[in-house]
Amino acid sequence: MIAIIGAGPAGLAAAATAAQRGESVILIDSASQLGGQYWRHLPSNWSDDRSLHYNFDKAQKYFDLILNYPNITRYSNAHVWQAEKIDDKFHLYLIKDGIEEKIVAEKVILATGAYDRSLPFPGWTYPGVMTPGAAQGMLKSHGVLVGKKIVIAGTGPFLLPVAAGLAECGAEIVGLFEANSPLRWTLNLHGLLLNPGKILEAIYYFKKLRKFGIRIQYGKVVEEATRTSVIVDGKVISCDVVAVGWGFVPDLSLAGILGAKLKVDRDGTVLVRVDSNQETSIPGLFAAGESTGIGGSTLALIEGEIAAGAKKTFARWRAQVFAQGLQRVYPVSAKWQNNIQGQTIICRCEEVTQEEIRASIDELGAENGRTAKLFTRAGMGLCQGRVCSRNVSEIVASHTRRKVADSELIAGAGRPMAGPISLGELGDGLGKKF
Amino acid sequence: MSRPIQSVEFTFNGEKFFAIPGQSIAAALFQANQHILRKTRMEGEERSIFCGIGICWDCVVTVNGIINQRSCLIEVQDGMVVKS
């Protein structure tokens, strides 16, 4: 029995490959539909023209395969909150419909994906400020346009499909700001040459942006948000939504809980360490997709297949070269802290400001993210530091004129539970049911 | 993209709202221009959706009496009672 956690590109590819090899597969996902974040789509009661997707045929092919294989059991709306390895078997504890269940598997493939990286700036807690993933997700899986006049900012290629999709559905994109210079693409020419499909994808989005009259403005960031506008380069731009994203953060909760060795990528992103078969330091535990290196759906699909036993070493290498090049094209500058002010909230959950974090250093002797967290509660709220922990570490490091230690970044990615759970849910079926 | 006609009904802070089956609570409220989902417990600041995928917990509401439910993840069911 193979348990695959996550039904995005990596998980779908792993499930299809394993099933084709005659394995019995359990595919667990917290959403009701297959596809993960990348292939979010409208429920079947909508007539969807798929115009919001690039290459959705591929997704449909996987959906059909997975729904038709008798040896794949699907667990949708299921959250794995805890896991352990006992002897040679993995015990996964999940909550489905308010009731806890245990699944035992000989092999586990983690395909838990990633979420938008956010950086604080004055006004980023106002309603209307959100991640590009939120703006796009509302459209792709719920058919809802989050605003009429939208600013998109941050860094990375993901900003392009978000802008194009929102414009296509009727939003006015009043600004598309990419923090990095396009000249940085010279740092990834080899990645482009090895992956010509990526050039076609970029052309597809540039054409769409041109069709809607959207011009990318480079080297600019959102400095501040008010309730009705943003400030970019000192200029006020009126808008009702601003979507800002700075790349992605992989979800490593389950890898950490199971004791897999983690590592820090060149750009500070914490990843799961895997070998050439996508196996982690824990025998029988595999990882594929964003958790082993942010690389997008192409790389995730290949890694999913390899984790399920396929041999695709060259294809993976080619996609990895491109992904590593992307890091050089779209870095997050340490200057992000220049925009924050004393009163700017850093931890959204516990409402902790920059000056409170600095005071914990100056007055209470905090010397790293962890001690600052103990003094201020930054990172102790409902999200468990998923949004702020790296930002807090970086604020403490710059205030104490140090660099954030790799061990601190790794500690910040670990969580004792993969998701919060009520005592009622742990008790027999006493949990929530709507 | 065409919308299904069928809809379900729910209340948010006592007011009546509609959702297309399959839509999340947050999506249905955004559709009706209701962007403010709650106020924070310390500063009373208004909050809305932020990550939209269940990571940040900014959009939590009380659903049928159960607190701290992520409105971006939970699908609207007919007759749901949602509060800030």
Side-chain angles (χ1 to χ4, degrees):
Chain A
M1 175 79 76
I2 301 183
I4 298 168
I5 305 174
L12 292 175
T17 307
Q20 278 163 346
R21 297 166 73 96
E23 308 263 13
S24 147
V25 175
I26 290 185
L27 179 60
I28 307 165
D29 193 82
S30 59
S32 57
Q33 292 182 312
L34 294 173
Q37 301 303 333
Y38 184 72
W39 280 325
R40 286 182 86 126
H41 55 288
L42 292 164
S44 53
N45 55 343
W46 294 64
S47 65
D48 185 1
D49 63 7
R50 307 285 189 231
S51 64
L52 295 173
H53 291 270
Y54 181 76
N55 215 350
F56 199 78
D57 295 348
K58 201 179 239 176
Q60 199 60 58
K61 191 190 85 185
Y62 279 110
F63 297 166
D64 293 344
L65 262 173
I66 280 156
L67 298 174
N68 290 323
Y69 261 108
N71 48 340
I72 300 179
T73 310
R74 267 185 75 200
Y75 268 73
S76 52
N77 296 312
H79 299 255
V80 179
W81 73 280
Q82 192 56 274
E84 57 187 336
K85 192 178 181 190
I86 302 172
D87 299 325
D88 282 340
K89 291 199 162 98
F90 294 93
H91 294 234
L92 306 174
Y93 302 89
L94 56 87
I95 300 287
K96 187 171 162 53
D97 298 326
I99 295 170
E100 199 201 25
E101 271 184 60
K102 184 170 87 172
I103 284 172
V104 180
E106 286 80 39
K107 172 173 173 174
V108 170
I109 301 175
L110 299 174
T112 44
Y115 56 93
D116 290 276
R117 182 173 175 205
S118 295
L119 299 175
F121 57 91
W124 76 308
T125 54
Y126 284 137
V129 181
M130 62 185 73
T131 65
Q136 194 195 45
M138 287 281 251
L139 195 58
K140 278 165 77 172
S141 38
H142 303 287
V144 173
L145 204 49
V146 286
K148 292 186 183 77
K149 292 172 80 173
I150 303 178
V151 167
I152 294 164
T155 195
F158 180 50
L159 303 181
L160 307 183
V162 174
L166 292 167
E168 189 128 55
C169 291
E172 185 190 347
I173 305 300
V174 289
L176 172 52
F177 302 104
E178 163 58 58
N180 286 297
S181 159
L183 294 174
R184 296 190 68 92
W185 269 103
T186 52
L187 302 170
N188 195 20
L189 288 179
H190 54 302
L192 284 175
L193 288 172
L194 280 167
N195 298 271
K198 291 289 175 190
I199 302 176
L200 297 178
E201 195 174 340
I203 292 171
Y204 170 87
Y205 286 118
F206 282 127
K207 273 189 180 162
K208 280 208 162 184
L209 293 178
R210 184 181 296 171
K211 182 176 144 198
F212 296 109
I214 303 166
R215 195 168 58 90
I216 308 173
Q217 298 188 59
Y218 295 96
K220 292 180 179 175
V221 300
V222 170
E223 289 144 15
E224 192 176 337
T226 69
R227 286 183 167 273
T228 54
S229 66
V230 290
I231 299 171
V232 178
D233 224 5
K235 283 188 208 121
V236 179
I237 301 165
S238 152
C239 59
D240 52 9
V241 163
V242 52
V244 193
W246 295 94
F248 295 94
V249 184
D251 187 334
L252 306 176
S253 310
L254 288 168
I257 287 168
L258 284 163
K261 282 208 173 79
L262 306 180
K263 63 172 186 180
V264 179
D265 209 355
R266 250 172 310 173
D267 66 353
T269 306
V270 183
L271 304 171
V272 188
R273 193 185 286 272
V274 287
D275 67 10
S276 59
N277 300 318
Q278 300 293 132
E279 193 165 12
T280 70
S281 62
I282 305 291
L285 180 67
F286 293 70
E290 307 303 56
S291 65
T292 66
I294 300 296
S297 67
T298 312
L299 181 57
L301 287 166
I302 298 165
E303 289 183 353
E305 289 182 43
I306 295 173
K311 294 269 172 281
K312 286 209 163 180
T313 319
F314 175 73
R316 178 178 55 193
W317 171 78
R318 200 170 69 163
Q320 275 173 339
V321 169
F322 182 78
Q324 284 156 8
L326 277 186
Q327 278 185 21
R328 289 189 281 272
V329 181
Y330 297 107
V332 174
S333 161
K335 283 191 284 187
W336 70 264
Q337 287 190 44
N338 296 353
N339 286 327
I340 56 178
Q341 297 161 2
Q343 287 296 312
T344 305
I345 284 178
I346 309 300
C347 168
R348 301 172 67 95
C349 301
E350 294 296 309
E351 305 178 74
V352 182
T353 62
Q354 183 217 35
E355 62 192 11
E356 286 170 323
I357 291 168
R358 287 189 170 179
S360 77
I361 302 162
D362 298 336
E363 293 163 24
L364 303 170
E367 48 195 16
N368 52 38
R370 186 181 148 72
T371 40
K373 167 178 162 178
L374 293 174
F375 287 131
T376 63
R377 291 196 57 81
M380 285 192 188
L382 279 170
C383 94
Q384 288 288 288
R386 283 177 172 83
V387 178
C388 76
S389 101
R390 182 171 173 189
N391 301 337
V392 172
S393 290
E394 291 189 7
I395 287 169
V396 176
S398 72
H399 198 62
T400 53
R401 296 175 198 288
R402 288 181 308 115
K403 281 202 152 175
V404 183
D406 282 0
S407 57
E408 184 176 334
L409 290 169
I410 287 174
R415 308 217 146 61
M417 290 181 215
I421 175 172
S422 71
L423 289 172
E425 284 165 319
L426 274 181
D428 227 5
L430 295 172
K432 60 169 193 253
K433 243 185 180 174
F434 301 123
Chain B
M1 199 165 67
S2 76
R3 286 157 185 278
I5 303 149
Q6 190 200 357
S7 76
V8 288
E9 202 182 299
F10 69 107
T11 65
F12 176 64
N13 292 339
E15 211 182 312
K16 200 185 278 183
F17 287 89
F18 295 94
I20 296 160
Q23 273 182 335
S24 69
I25 296 170
L29 291 173
F30 255 74
Q31 186 168 258
N33 282 319
Q34 174 64 50
H35 296 180
I36 296 158
L37 300 173
R38 68 169 180 121
K39 285 187 177 164
T40 59
R41 64 188 199 284
M42 283 174 275
E43 305 293 330
E45 276 193 9
E46 290 169 341
R47 293 284 173 90
S48 184
I49 63 154
F50 182 66
C51 80
I53 59 171
I55 295 291
C56 78
W57 295 74
D58 236 7
C59 67
V60 291
V61 291
T62 300
V63 181
N64 293 347
I66 305 166
I67 62 164
N68 289 339
Q69 301 302 309
R70 288 167 283 182
S71 62
C72 69
L73 295 186
I74 294 172
E75 283 179 18
V76 174
Q77 309 286 335
D78 212 19
M80 245 179 191
V81 178
V82 182
K83 287 179 181 161
S84 279

